[in-house]
Amino acid sequence: MKRLFRTLLVVSGLLALAACENKSSGGAPPVASATATPSAATSASAVPAASAAASGSASANPVGASAGSWSGNYKSAALPLSLPTGKGYEDVKWQGDDSGVGLGDGALSIAVDGATGVVAGTADGALGNIVLDGVVVDGQMTASITRKDPADRGLTGTAIGKVVGDKIEGTMNLSLPEANVIRKATFTLTKKS
């Protein structure tokens, strides 16, 4: 399942790249079939990128300066859950857990592949041992957060960050599988290489 998610994430990033390249060259955006195989979608997206590289286009490297290793820290805090008020919601109660799980600081590091924009990373600390799998497209990093040990029923979720110069700043939204604990962590990464 994890491999399928990574493949879909990479393919969607490549399709977005192809759409941007076609838009900048004045062509119509590609239309992806719902029945297209990942290899067909990948090769279709690779053709515009390869032709842009051959022509010396500035958009030949979609990842740009974000390629390389990044490291930094995060700070995790409890994320309050807001429920609507008004008619029909009087009896709704949240049975969240006020435990200290996932609260505090930790270290985060990622690597961005220069050719594909694929992100692979790890973190430890307050959130436990987590793995990030994602992609950088047009200066935006998105990633899924899973557990390093699949048997660990700890916090999982998503990360979104913006590449600005030699920094990536963003947030991670996580919860336990039962959704009785939710956390939001802010992070800042600095480019190492």
Side-chain angles (χ1 to χ4, degrees):
M1 181 72 163
K2 189 174 181 182
R3 184 175 292 171
L4 175 62
F5 178 75
R6 283 187 199 159
T7 302
L8 290 174
L9 196 58
V10 170
V11 169
S12 66
L14 290 172
L15 287 173
L17 169 65
C20 290
E21 287 176 358
N22 282 339
K23 187 175 183 181
S24 67
S25 66
V31 177
S33 166
T35 60
T37 62
S39 61
T42 303
S43 62
S45 298
V47 172
S51 63
S55 68
S57 168
S59 65
N61 184 357
V63 180
S66 62
S69 299
W70 301 74
S71 65
N73 298 303
Y74 68 81
K75 182 164 186 71
S76 176
L79 184 63
L81 179 68
S82 299
L83 296 173
T85 58
K87 187 174 181 177
Y89 292 102
E90 298 83 18
D91 296 327
V92 175
K93 304 288 185 229
W94 168 248
Q95 294 182 336
D97 187 352
D98 289 331
S99 72
V101 66
L103 295 175
D105 301 335
L108 173 65
S109 62
I110 65 167
V112 180
D113 183 282
T116 62
V118 171
V119 172
T122 59
D124 57 24
L127 297 175
N129 293 320
I130 57 176
V131 176
L132 285 83
D133 294 300
V135 67
V136 172
V137 175
D138 293 332
Q140 182 83 13
M141 182 198 85
T142 56
S144 65
I145 301 170
T146 57
R147 305 305 298 175
K148 186 173 184 179
D149 177 4
D152 176 3
R153 293 185 45 82
L155 295 157
T156 60
T158 59
I160 298 175
K162 183 154 183 69
V163 180
V164 179
D166 66 346
K167 292 197 182 300
I168 299 177
E169 295 180 336
T171 59
M172 297 184 282
N173 292 298
L174 307 105
S175 74
L176 287 178
E178 297 81 15
N180 61 333
V181 172
I182 53 178
R183 299 290 182 247
K184 182 174 189 170
T186 57
F187 64 85
T188 300
L189 303 174
T190 304
K191 189 168 185 181
K192 298 298 177 191
S193 63

